[in-house]
Amino acid sequence: MPEAVVIGAGVGGLAAGVALRRAGWDVTVLERAGRLENVGSGLAVAANALRALDTLGLGDRVRELSRVQGELGVRRWDGRWLVSTTEDRARELYGDSVVLMPRATLVGLLAEALGGERLRLGVEVTGVDADTGTVRTSPAEGADGGRTDAGRTNAGRTNAGRAGAGRGAAGHEGVGEVRADLVVAADGIHSATRRALFPGHPGPVYSGVTAWRGLVPRPDVPVASTETWGRGLVFGAHLLAGDLVYFYATDVSPPGAVHADEREELLRRFGGWHEPIPALLRASERERILRNDVHHFAAPLPAFHRGRVALLGDAAHPMTPNLGQGACQAIEDAVVLAHVAGEGRGLAAYTAARLDRTAAITRRGVSICRATRLRNPVAVRLRDTGMSLAARLRPDLMLRSMDEVLGWRPPASAANGREPAGPA
């Protein structure tokens, strides 16, 4: 049985592990963290990613968590709709709508599908040899490593890890050297593997905006799935299962800005906007609000592979969140990579299938990000008027502009789970 090592247990890495297992690979996923913490906030799983998850047998479990209903779209700060559609129309066009869910929930589903015995926590990758497929590891500093059981850490177990049992491996608990037929680098936007394989690439650049994210209990006001645009400002809110609301916000900001109280910063910016935005912020807890500067690739990598190593997700194509496709594209990557590897095709076929598509989606996201950064009142008025007029002239504009993104379908031989719904 061919062996694969996946670096990183985020959404993309775990999806790759599940997809490769289903394609007949012996898989080990290495993660630096000592446990799969309940970190992050929410994410979107759109129709294209739901089809990909169908091939992993997880699509319907994710669909069960959908709480999107009624009208959704983009509003002005005062609540007036700029462009909108409905979940029913999305289903008519693509066979699915979109599921908003906590990131931790999706990670848990993927970890359960992978199997705890395949996941090694508290292991830091210190180097990768792309020619031989050798992965060098050491104990992660401060991590309490161990296996997991259905996505939960079982710290302190001393059984020899699968990664430590790889060909030519040394040490125990997954520490030493591991040789694999395939190495999947899903180690995030600041991927050390990517920097080593493509040292000439400039890496991610700052988008000009910083982003806040959070999860709050549902307030006593209606919550529709909307994104609201202002002068350089964006606020999104989406109802999740369990009476939770996922919110996010962006503002133009110099990189690395420090705020003493993120909740107060958000109330200062958005406290006068339409409901439920002020209610959500009042319900939020300061210490549970996440903020990070948004980065993306201004230029794509020359390839998503080198030797026996394939890059995946943010390690391969970091993008702004404006299309809600970050996790979706990582899941697509995982399914396509497993399809290519399962057929015994070289990794050049993976690059050919993924590079142009993800580069185009990244460019579209950056274009939308630029539109949201407008602060000049005249420019904002022209932007908003143009969006409203275009939506009146073409009511399906919001959805049809996403045809190439949402209409993606997994490779035919990968579709061995639930048959993807909707038109081809």
Side-chain angles (χ1 to χ4, degrees):
M1 181 180 292
E3 298 184 16
V5 169
V6 180
I7 305 169
V11 170
L14 291 170
V18 175
L20 286 166
R21 277 199 67 187
R22 293 174 71 95
W25 288 70
D26 185 11
V27 179
T28 300
V29 178
L30 306 178
E31 168 56 44
R32 185 180 186 279
R35 61 183 65 242
L36 293 183
E37 300 282 5
N38 185 13
V39 297
S41 50
L43 52 76
V45 184
N48 53 312
L50 286 169
R51 293 190 195 99
L53 288 171
D54 283 336
T55 74
L56 308 183
L58 296 174
D60 283 342
R61 295 185 66 183
V62 171
R63 288 182 182 90
E64 291 171 357
L65 302 174
S66 176
R67 295 298 182 271
V68 176
Q69 54 186 323
E71 196 170 14
L72 59 154
V74 180
R75 290 177 166 181
R76 284 178 15 133
W77 69 273
D78 58 5
R80 194 187 80 190
W81 288 100
L82 294 174
V83 57
S84 67
T85 187
T86 65
E87 185 193 26
D88 289 343
R89 183 56 178 151
R91 292 185 184 279
E92 287 176 19
L93 292 175
Y94 306 114
D96 267 311
S97 178
V98 60
V99 179
L100 283 301
M101 63 190 300
R103 178 186 181 276
T105 301
L106 182 56
V107 166
L109 289 173
L110 290 165
E112 180 183 358
L114 176 70
E117 74 282 2
R118 308 273 176 171
L119 180 58
R120 300 295 303 123
L121 301 172
V123 177
E124 182 165 8
V125 172
T126 59
V128 176
D129 187 323
D131 293 330
T132 64
T134 300
V135 179
R136 295 181 292 277
T137 67
S138 67
E141 184 177 351
D144 183 14
R147 292 172 180 259
T148 65
D149 180 12
R152 295 188 298 273
T153 303
N154 185 4
R157 287 182 62 168
T158 57
N159 295 342
R162 296 180 62 83
R167 293 174 302 184
H172 74 105
E173 287 297 300
V175 176
E177 284 194 350
V178 188
R179 287 200 299 273
D181 302 288
L182 172 65
V183 178
V184 181
D187 47 347
I189 189 169
H190 301 297
S191 170
T193 309
R194 180 189 68 231
R195 293 197 302 269
L197 297 183
F198 299 99
H201 189 271
V205 299
Y206 183 48
S207 68
V209 302
T210 195
W212 294 263
R213 293 164 292 143
L215 296 171
V216 298
R218 182 179 184 173
D220 292 328
V221 294
V223 178
S225 287
T226 62
E227 189 168 278
T228 303
W229 290 16
R231 292 173 55 185
L233 295 163
V234 171
F235 195 101
H238 304 278
L239 185 63
L240 310 185
D243 273 343
L244 287 176
V245 177
Y246 165 48
F247 75 82
Y248 57 87
T250 66
D251 189 12
V252 178
S253 172
V258 177
H259 303 143
D261 188 327
E262 302 294 358
R263 181 175 178 271
E264 288 304 313
E265 287 294 322
L266 288 169
L267 283 167
R268 180 173 66 83
R269 289 167 168 83
F270 301 100
W273 285 27
H274 69 82
E275 290 292 357
I277 294 172
L280 292 173
L281 294 178
R282 289 192 298 269
S284 65
E285 299 177 23
R286 178 177 59 186
E287 62 275 10
R288 296 179 67 85
I289 296 173
L290 306 176
R291 185 174 71 86
N292 62 281
D293 291 341
V294 176
H295 293 77
H296 65 92
F297 271 179
L301 291 169
F304 285 175
H305 75 285
R306 179 156 291 176
R308 298 188 180 190
V309 181
L311 297 168
L312 182 149
D314 282 347
H317 45 73
M319 56 186 65
T320 67
N322 301 88
L323 290 174
Q325 281 289 310
C328 297
Q329 291 306 303
I331 297 168
E332 281 190 22
D333 287 346
V335 168
V336 173
L337 177 61
H339 166 72
V340 168
E343 289 193 339
R345 299 159 63 190
L347 291 179
Y350 169 64
T351 287
R354 298 302 301 159
L355 195 152
D356 288 348
R357 173 171 170 79
T358 54
I361 291 172
T362 299
R363 288 192 297 269
R364 288 190 61 182
V366 170
S367 295
I368 296 173
C369 184
R370 290 195 185 107
T372 69
R373 288 167 51 191
L374 293 175
R375 286 194 167 188
N376 180 280
V378 175
V380 170
R381 191 177 304 116
L382 289 172
R383 178 197 68 191
D384 293 353
T385 301
M387 290 173 66
S388 296
L389 179 60
R392 286 197 294 270
L393 293 174
R394 190 179 180 187
D396 276 347
L397 175 67
M398 181 176 172
L399 288 173
R400 285 301 189 184
S401 65
M402 293 286 287
D403 275 353
E404 292 186 3
V405 177
L406 301 180
W408 178 89
R409 302 180 76 83
S413 65
N416 54 3
R418 176 186 187 268
E419 179 63 25

